Every structure is written in structure tokens, then in C-alpha cells.
Amino acid sequence: MQNSLSLMKGFGWIILAAASIAAPPLLANIYWTSVMNMIVINSLMAASLRTIFLIGEFSLGHVGFMCIGAYSSALLTMKAGLPFGITLPAAGLMAGLTAILIGYPFMRVKGIYFVILTVVTSESFRLLAYNWRSLTGGTDGLIGFPGAGSLSIPGFAQIDFTGFTEYYYLTLTVVSSSLFILYRLEKSNLGFTWITIREADKMASAVGINVLKYKVINFSIACFFAGVGGALLAHSEQTLSPQASSVFGVMTTIYFLVYMVVGGKSSFIGPIVGAIVLSFIMEFTRPMQEYQPMIIGAIAIAVVMLLPEGLASIPAKIDKWRAKSLNPLT
Amino acid sequence: MKTNFSNVLIIMLTLLMTTALVFTADSPVQADTKKLKVGMIMPLSGPISVVGVGLTRAVELYFNKINEAGGLQLGGDTYMLELIAEDSKVDPTVSATATKKLVYKDGCRFVFGAIAPPVAAAIYQVCAKAKALHLITWIDAPGLAGDVSPKKPYAVRLCISSDAGWEMDYDYLRKTYPEAKNLFIVAPDLGLPIDRAIKVAKERGLNVLGHELWEDGTVDFLPYYTKALAAKPDVIQAMCSAQAGYQLRTARQLGFKGIFISDAPTAPAFILSLAGPEGSHDVISNGMDMNSATPGMKECMNRWAKKYKEPFFSDSIITWVEAEVFIQALKKADSVDPKKVVAAFESMTAPGSFQTAFGPGHMGGDKRFGVNRVVVRPMPISRLMNGKIEFVGFKMPVVDK
Amino acid sequence: MDLPVQAVWQGMINGLALGWIYVLMALGLTLIFGIMHIMQFAHGEIYMIGAYVVYYLTASFKLPLVVATALSMVVMATAGLILERFIFRPLKEDWLSAVVATTGLTLILQSGAVVVFGLYERSIPLLAHGPFNIAGIMVPKDRVIAVVVAVVLSLFLYLFLKTTKYGQAMVASAQNPEGAVLQGISPNKMAAMAMAIGCALAAAGGTLAGSLFALSPFMGLPPLVKGMTIIVIGGMGSLPGAFIAGMILGFIDGLVPILLGHAWAAMGPLLLVITILVIKPQGFFGHAE
């Protein structure tokens, strides 16, 4: 049973990889490429949100760190003229460092209290971008800052990332590497410690684990990747705006949470599945814009009440059902 | 290993999705050469969706009118107009994606939009790359990120900024209220050319006591009006705000009895409904009094009433007029090539080059922007007295100073 | 800053009015959280819908404002009971799912409001016209009335909790859930009552805000964020804490824009939250976790 499940998982990954690599030339349309770009970024956001779940917390403030990353990268390319290759990790670092700074006070607070804190915090980051005119341009936002530039691999080729398709592959590469890192972290000793903290933090501290330290590390790594996602977002269109209804508003952070829960928070691929499926649904419901939040909200409630483990748990459930029907005694 | 049902299910699902994707992807070429697809990006959801939806509907209604009359004859072909509207969500990233859809998937070569400057700038970025014409639908202040410029060959502005009405407003103020000398300005923090207002006011013998800037999204104007009233002005000007009615109400609630100017195209009827009859006295507005609607506006209202159940949103006549101008430019160019249409626009600089529901207009902007790509057409002035709307008339705005 | 004293006083009174509206939101949230341990993210939408109900009652049925408000409170309380019974009760144990459910509810209610109520901004009739002239300071009458209404409602709540049997049961249930059950107090009944009262308060708050400011389907989110900030500062599950924090926040919103400008007014709450967290993570009056 375990064997076929992991084989299925392997298959799933291969299909995913193949589809995401082959899609742009197959579809030959800039618009769809940019949609896939957003889906890929959303997957990273949902997956890094799940990392925080490993220590048993929910963050409704992920979008705030995305905002920090986006603005950091944009401003560094604009004002300091640094190339994307540097500003991308720098954006992540800014987000990660901020997470460390507020992590120490915030991590003392748990559960629902933490969730509320994250919402308030992320709104404040957005308001900071909104009000700090001299730095971020305030309501005008930032327009037309440099894109990802170009990369020359000596002796190989010169890749110009201003093209939409090239940028998509860049995003795909960055996100895949990030997901790989997150996955390995989860399976490592560090990840194990995190899960221990989630399951029994009092016991963990009794054994001598510095619970606070590990929580902060977790939070900052997750937010690092949120920052990376933000940088990728910023340079895809080269525009940013801190309006309440923009990508950096409360709605988006709710959507990230919904992606994670609908996809399934117990498995690594869950949030990614959620991001993909829901992004597609949102794309296909374009003609009924006003109903979009309703549809997403209804899906979220339905999943939470009927299928709490999310979509990614469907294969496992089907397996169990099959096994049951074959052997009525189990 | 037994055949894993779930295995197969996953593979089938993925294949299904990919296939669906492939089949729904449209070719970017306009398959039907008899359809002229025009895109429009407006906030269709969110707090200002009233405006976005209203403005979109007016363009749609005008296109319906043209189609009913048999479409457009351009360059030997007959075209039926099709408007495709997308939601901007007041976010440049979302709007850029939406513009990409319009331009690359639906094959639009003309895109109307938007309301916020960052959104307009984002739309232009995509349009320029795709060599599509961006028709600027709304502008808070001239010269901001989304406006026309000699460096932007694919942008034409079809709307008037509210600052173009300042000359006529101050003239009317001086004529009707000669004793009122002290003016206080309450404006949104959007980069409006307040210095120009101060200059224009001074030229007419008005003294600007000061100004307060409020940030986008403010609902509570009390702090600003508290400070405004502390300066003891005779006149308060609420610049460029669809919330003028709320602002007037706040001022009256604080005991302000003086004159109030609203230079936004918000209808005086709307201001009246918010401020109430007791508060609606001595108000000057650049909004249209729909009781004195011109035949063109009446047609727009009738078409709206036939198609939509909501009451008419009076700001919509602005985009009805923009659609009028756009069609006349297309006819002058006798082509659907964006570059030729821009050239047609630039040639229509003589007064009366085109007709609109507001009156005759022409293109201008050369002195201020370096190119003649801004529409100049009459603006209305109305006055509210004793809870009643008095229509004063139409005047030509000053775009080139 | 050499602003006329008048402006400062007006700022303070405005802050008072704002504060009390926030307090109504926060009291409801605190009640629901204290008894049900669920953060009702959709509370802002209840506030918004309550305001719209009043709008329809006054505009279409021409009911007087007071009657309409009372009716709206009853309607929203009933809605709250339904929500509690069918969504919150099954999710009582799993707070993660409750968070998702309430956020999903927010999405549904908000877009539902757009569809049902339409996009046009509307306005509830003014509470009163013109200003009071208090010692040379112009104070808008409607803000004063808003404060009075909010104070009265809060007093009712206080009396209810202190003197009635059900009220005392609720307090007991919040402080010691297991002990309360042992005493024969039904947690389900307590949850239902908390929800009903909380939603009624939200409806009242929404009505006041809709009359002072504007009605729109999106008016619920900013007060919700403020309400959550208040809970963090005042301490979760603490009613006096919610009251004090609400007033503080109201004053910040009323005075700071006049004295220091809007940027600081926006950042103020966060700085306060961080400070409180560092000093006393449970908020002013919160219980240790």
C-alpha cells in the first residue's frame, strides 16, 4: 500500500514537471504563459505557508512578507542598479530578517492569537509601503523598474529575461529549487524538530530544545521564500502598488491560506495542488468576476467541513476505499 | 504491483486539464476580420467598482448603437464592434495580466483604461510592447505616470482632468460671489497641480489660505475639515473627489456655511442626495445636471434604462463621449491600424473637429505635453441652491496651460 | 504644534466617537472568542450586512432609524445563531478549520453583498443635522449621538453579564469552560448566546458607521482588522481590555491625523501591538495561555 502510494506520488511529480515545462511552447500564447507564471509563484507561497504549519502555526500574514520582498527587489534594481541575480536573494533576506526581528516577540504567542498578529502585521507592512512616499512612491506605486535583465553563460548562450517565456522558465527554475529546498528541510533533522515542537512543545523544551529559537528559524525561512516569491512577482510585470485591493491586501493572504487548506496541509504537495487547482478555477471564472470570491469561499468551507485533509488526500482515500471494498473485514 | 486506480486517476486528471488548456487557448490572430475587438480595463470589483462598471457599460451602449446602425465602414470592410471588459482590481500586476489577455489572447488592438495611474502605466507597458493603442479613460491629474507623452506613441487621452475646470470654476465664483475672497483647498494626495490652482486663483483675485491633502481611501473627512475650517475660509474646494457629497456633509456638520466647489465630474444630484437639502446651498459643481441633459446624453440614459436595472450612473456619460470620439477618430483614419488612428487623432486639432454629447471638441495638449493627444471638449457647470440644481452651462476647459 | 485648541478638541471628540464604534466591534469579537474560542473573521461582514439591512428598512420601508436599527440587530442576531449552529458548532474542536471556515465565510458574504446590494454607495439617514456648539467648539451632533448609543449598548451588555443568570453563566463559561459544564451550563447555549449578542452589537456598530460615513460592501474589512488589533492589545477574551484598547485606538485615529499626519496614524497600532507583545504578551488584561 505504501509502495503504490509513493509510486503514485512520484508519477504525480513527473506529470507536474512535464506539464509545467511543456506548457508554454504548447500553448504558444503570452497570456497563458503569464497565467502559469502566477500559478508557479502562488505554489511557492502556499508551500512556504505550509512550512509554518510544520511548527503548528498558521500565518495569515504571508502576503506582508511577499510585499517586503517585492518592494526590496524592485527598489534595489531601481535605485541601486543591482542585477536581479543579487536582488532576488536579497529580497528573500530582507523578508527573512524582518521575520527574525518580529519573530522573537511574536513567537511567544500561539494559536489563534498568532494568526491575528500576522494579519495585523501584514496589513501594517502594506500600510508602510503605502505611506512611505519617498521610498516606495506611495499610492502611485512603482512602475517600470528594471526587469530580470539578462544572463550570459559564457560560451553557452545569452538569455534575455525580458521575454515573457524566458521569465517564466526563470520563475519555474527558482520556484522548483525553492520547493526542493523546502522539501529537504522538512525531511531533515531540522524539520523533524519542527514537527516535534508542533506535536508536543512542552516535552520538546523538557528535552532541552530551545523551542523559541527553532520556531523563529522556521518562521524566517518560510518568510524568506515568501520574499523570493514577492521578488518574482514584482519583476514579472515590473509594476507594484500598495493599494488595499492589490495583490498585497488581506484578500490575497486569505487566498494563500485557502490554497493550502484546500490542497491539503498534511502533505508537501498539498498546497501546490491547491494553488494550481484554485488558480485554474479563478482563471476560468473570469467572466463572473463578482462571484469569484464566493466560489472560492464556498470551496474552502466545503473542503473544511467535508474533506478536511484536502484534495491531496483523495488518492489515499480512494486507495483505502478500494482496499475496503476488496476486503470487507478491514 | 496491482493496477493502481488512484495512479491512473491522477494521470487522467492531469491530462484532462492540460487538454482543456490547449483547447481553450485562442489564437492571437483576429479570426473574424469583420469584428473589431476593443478591450477595456476597469475596476469591476472592489470599492470603486460602481465607477468601473458604470464607465464600462456606457462604452458598451455606444458600441451597441454603432452596431445597430450597421457597424463601421473602415478601409473597405464593415466592422462590428465588440467590447471585452476585464477587471483591473486597481492593481497594476492584475491589470498587466488582464491587458495581456486582451491583447494576446483576444486580439484587441485598442484598450480603454484605467482609473488609477499605476494601472494606466501598467496597461501602457503591455500595449506598447504589443503595438496596441492605449486609450486613457480617466485621469486624476495631468502628467502623472499614465498620461500621454511624446515618448509614448501608443497612448491617447480621451478624458479631461478635473484641473482643466479650475479657470471656469473660479470665474463663476468671482462673478456670482464677489465678496468671497478666501479659498481653502481639500485635495486627494495624488499629485494634483495645486500650485497651478493657486496661480489661477491669484490671477482672479482669490486668496488661497492653505490646503489639506487626504490619502486615497479616506472615509472620514472630519480631521481634514476641522483643519480647513480652522483657517476660516469663505470657500472650500473639494478637488477631484467622487466623495464630494460626503465632504460637503462633513463641512456642514461642522457648521460651515460658506461656498463649496466640487470640480469632479460627480453629478450634483449625487452630492445633493448625500448632503441633504439643508446642506446643499452655494455649491458649485462640474458635474452634469441630468435634468438639462443634451440629446446625446438622453440617448445614453435611455439605452441604459432599457438594458440595466440599476439607476443611471451619471459619470458614465464621460465614457459614452469617449467612445464617440474614438469612433470618429477611427472613421477619420479609415483604418483599424493603431498607428493610423493616432495620426488621425493628432490631425483633429481644429475646434469642432468632432462632436460629442457635451458639444463640439478637438484635440489639444501640444503646449503642455508636447503632443496633441488629449481630448478637449466642453465641461458642465451646475450650482446647487436651496436643495435645487441650477444648470449654468457648458464651458471649454483649459487643457494647455 | 500651533493648531487651534478647537481642532485638537474636535479631534478628541471624533476619536471618542470612532473609539466607541470600534469598541462595539471588539466587544462582539471578544465575546465570541471568549466563549467559543473561535476568531470570527467574518464579523466585519456581519457589521456590513447589518448596516445594509438598516438601509433597506429605512429606504424601502420608510421605517424610522431607531426601529430599523433594532430590527437589524434582531435579524443579525438570528443570522448569528444560524451560523453558530451549522458552521461553528461542528468545527468547535478544530480551530484551524474554523479559521478557514470564517475566512471563507468572509469571501462569500462580501461577494454576496456585491451581488445582492449592488455596487452603488449608499447612505443611511443622518443621526442628526448640524453641530452642537460647546464652548465655541463645533461638535457634529451625529458623532455625539453615535457615542451615546454605543455607550448605552455597552452598558446593557455590562448589566446583562453582571446581573442576569444567563450573563453570569456566560462569564463563568468563558473563565472556566469545564467548571461551567460541571455546573450544568450548556456550552452550546452559551455559544449561541455569545454569537447572537456579538452579531447584534456588530449590526449596531455597522449602522452607526454607515450613518456617519458610507455604506459599501467593503466597509467591513478595515474595522475587522481594527477589532483584531484591539483584541490583541486589550487581551483576548477580556471585555474591559477590549473597551480600553478600543478607546485608545479611537483616540489615535482621531487625534494623530490632526497632530502628526496620516502615516503615523496607520503605523501607530502596529507599534503599540509590538510594544505590548514584548512587555506583556497576553495584552492588558488577558489570561496567561
Side-chain angles (χ1 to χ4, degrees), chain B residues 237-375:
Chain B
Q237 179 179 3
M239 271 189 187
C240 191
S241 168
Q243 316 254 52
Y246 289 113
Q247 297 195 38
L248 176 61
R249 189 168 84 172
T250 310
R252 297 283 184 235
Q253 291 286 70
L254 280 173
F256 177 64
K257 298 251 181 297
I259 306 151
F260 188 82
I261 302 180
S262 160
D263 57 31
T266 312
F270 190 59
I271 299 180
L272 174 61
S273 71
L274 284 175
E278 322 76 29
S280 299
H281 59 85
D282 299 300
V283 178
I284 303 173
S285 156
N286 284 120
M288 187 62 209
D289 167 24
M290 295 315 284
N291 296 321
S292 316
T294 62
M297 296 177 194
K298 288 210 181 104
E299 182 179 357
C300 178
M301 285 165 68
N302 288 337
R303 282 180 180 268
W304 178 294
K306 277 199 211 112
K307 197 166 175 196
Y308 304 114
K309 63 177 165 83
E310 290 99 351
F312 183 65
F313 179 66
S314 57
D315 281 23
S316 306
I317 38 172
I318 296 176
T319 41
W320 169 274
V321 162
E322 294 183 12
E324 287 183 310
V325 178
F326 173 54
I327 298 297
Q328 290 174 70
L330 278 175
K331 286 195 182 143
K332 181 113 198 268
D334 196 32
S335 148
V336 292
D337 179 353
K339 273 213 121 72
K340 294 210 181 119
V341 177
V342 175
F345 270 118
E346 289 179 319
S347 71
M348 307 204 301
T349 49
S353 293
F354 45 73
Q355 294 299 319
T356 76
F358 282 108
H362 59 271
M363 297 302 286
D366 196 24
K367 278 197 222 109
R368 198 160 177 197
F369 305 102
V371 277
N372 277 323
R373 293 193 198 135
V374 176
V375 161

Side-chain angles (χ1 to χ4, degrees), chain B residues 101-248:
Chain B
K101 170 186 178 285
L102 290 170
V103 165
Y104 293 114
K105 178 170 179 279
D106 300 320
C108 301
R109 303 185 74 187
F110 301 95
V111 179
F112 279 88
I115 296 193
V119 173
I123 296 177
Y124 183 76
Q125 267 185 175
V126 178
C127 280
K129 247 193 187 152
K131 299 208 184 5
L133 183 56
H134 177 206
L135 300 158
I136 303 170
T137 331
W138 187 281
I139 195 135
D140 292 319
L144 286 184
D147 208 351
V148 298
S149 115
K151 293 196 212 133
K152 294 163 80 170
Y154 287 103
V156 171
R157 171 148 62 94
L158 298 179
C159 61
I160 307 214
S161 54
S162 53
D163 79 303
W166 291 340
E167 277 85 352
M168 67 175 81
D169 290 342
Y170 295 155
D171 282 337
Y172 181 74
L173 173 69
R174 297 300 285 129
K175 195 175 80 167
T176 326
Y177 301 97
E179 293 90 40
K181 290 272 170 47
N182 295 319
L183 172 65
F184 196 95
I185 296 175
V186 177
D189 199 356
L190 290 169
L192 294 173
I194 308 232
D195 293 328
R196 181 172 111 79
I198 298 180
K199 190 169 84 107
V200 172
K202 257 213 181 90
E203 281 169 8
R204 285 152 178 76
L206 287 169
N207 180 24
V208 177
L209 296 171
H211 64 273
E212 272 297 306
L213 296 176
W214 48 272
E215 59 174 34
D216 218 14
T218 303
V219 257
D220 185 12
F221 292 98
L222 203 66
Y224 305 101
Y225 277 86
T226 309
K227 288 208 227 173
L229 290 179
K232 300 211 192 307
D234 306 314
V235 190
I236 297 186
Q237 179 179 3
M239 271 189 187
C240 191
S241 168
Q243 316 254 52
Y246 289 113
Q247 297 195 38
L248 176 61

Side-chain angles (χ1 to χ4, degrees), chain A residues 41 45 61-75 91-92 94-95 98 121-131 135-136 138 142 145 223-234 239-243 246-250 252-253 256, chain B residues 91:
Chain A
I41 296 179
M45 298 305 293
H62 226 46
V63 90
F65 293 95
M66 189 169 162
C67 182
I68 294 180
Y71 270 98
S72 305
S73 183
L75 289 170
M94 279 297 292
T98 315
T121 313
S122 107
E123 264 296 285
S124 306
F125 287 147
R126 185 184 65 76
L127 285 172
L128 192 65
Y130 193 87
N131 283 305
L135 189 66
T136 63
L142 293 175
F145 46 85
C223 293
F224 171 85
F225 285 110
V228 167
L232 288 172
L233 176 74
T239 61
L240 281 181
S241 155
Q243 293 276 9
S246 72
V247 254
F248 298 123
V250 185
T252 311
T253 204
F256 289 155
Chain B
D91 179 63

Side-chain angles (χ1 to χ4, degrees), chain A residues 49-125:
Chain A
L49 189 64
R50 176 166 177 278
T51 309
I52 303 181
F53 178 65
L54 291 178
I55 50 168
E57 306 290 354
F58 259 167
S59 165
L60 264 184
H62 226 46
V63 90
F65 293 95
M66 189 169 162
C67 182
I68 294 180
Y71 270 98
S72 305
S73 183
L75 289 170
L76 283 173
T77 52
M78 219 170 86
K79 308 240 162 121
L82 292 172
F84 186 59
I86 298 189
T87 63
L88 181 66
L93 277 172
M94 279 297 292
L97 280 170
T98 315
I100 294 183
L101 272 172
I102 66 171
Y104 270 104
F106 281 18
M107 281 302 180
R108 296 199 215 162
V109 158
K110 281 199 286 258
I112 190 74
Y113 308 77
F114 181 71
V115 177
I116 298 180
L117 265 185
T118 54
V119 179
V120 176
T121 313
S122 107
E123 264 296 285
S124 306
F125 287 147

Side-chain angles (χ1 to χ4, degrees), chain B residues 59-69 303 307-308:
Chain B
V59 178
E60 180 133 17
L61 290 173
Y62 192 76
F63 282 6
N64 287 346
K65 169 180 162 146
I66 298 290
N67 287 344
E68 279 167 25
R303 282 180 180 268
K307 197 166 175 196
Y308 304 114

Side-chain angles (χ1 to χ4, degrees), chain B residues 46 49-50 224 226 246 253 311, chain C residues 10 119-120 130 142-143 214 218 262:
Chain B
S49 42
V50 199
Y224 305 101
T226 309
Y246 289 113
Q253 291 286 70
Chain C
Q10 267 173 336
L119 305 162
Y120 290 76
D142 55 0
R143 309 243 162 174
F218 311 97
H262 248 87

